[in-house]
Amino acid sequence: LHRTIVEVFPDVTVAPTLTLGATDSRHYTQLGGPIYRFLPLRLALEDTVRIHGIDERIAVENYGEVIGFYMNLIRNADSADL
């Protein structure tokens, strides 16, 4: 996960934190292995007031980064050098 984050978002610091809200991951806990609650979004302060509300959105550029992140995550997870 760290490798993929820095590949797509080289300007960020990767650090663990707590997820305060419920996520769909609770439905997958019985499958085994670690579950990481991570969403590759860039949010400005003004974006946070729209989460789950009226006019919820992300920037078009960030949408491309999200797609690129998941593409890289799948490729990296399938990599023989892990």
Side-chain angles (χ1 to χ4, degrees):
L1 183 58
H2 180 275
R3 173 182 166 188
T4 304
I5 293 169
V6 297
E7 284 175 354
V8 179
F9 303 98
D11 58 325
V12 302
T13 300
V14 179
T17 188
L18 296 175
T19 301
L20 300 176
T23 69
D24 290 343
S25 63
R26 67 183 180 273
H27 302 292
Y28 305 109
T29 56
Q30 298 303 315
L31 296 177
I35 295 176
Y36 300 98
R37 294 157 179 92
F38 178 79
L39 189 58
L41 294 178
R42 292 182 190 264
L43 295 175
L45 185 57
E46 60 269 14
D47 297 325
T48 60
V49 297
R50 288 191 298 270
I51 294 174
H52 301 313
I54 296 171
D55 204 22
E56 181 178 27
R57 65 181 186 267
I58 64 171
V60 173
E61 300 82 27
N62 188 213
Y63 187 65
E65 289 176 317
V66 170
I67 293 168
F69 172 83
Y70 285 114
M71 288 173 56
N72 282 16
L73 183 64
I74 291 167
R75 285 186 190 121
N76 288 342
D78 191 44
S79 176
D81 63 345
L82 291 178

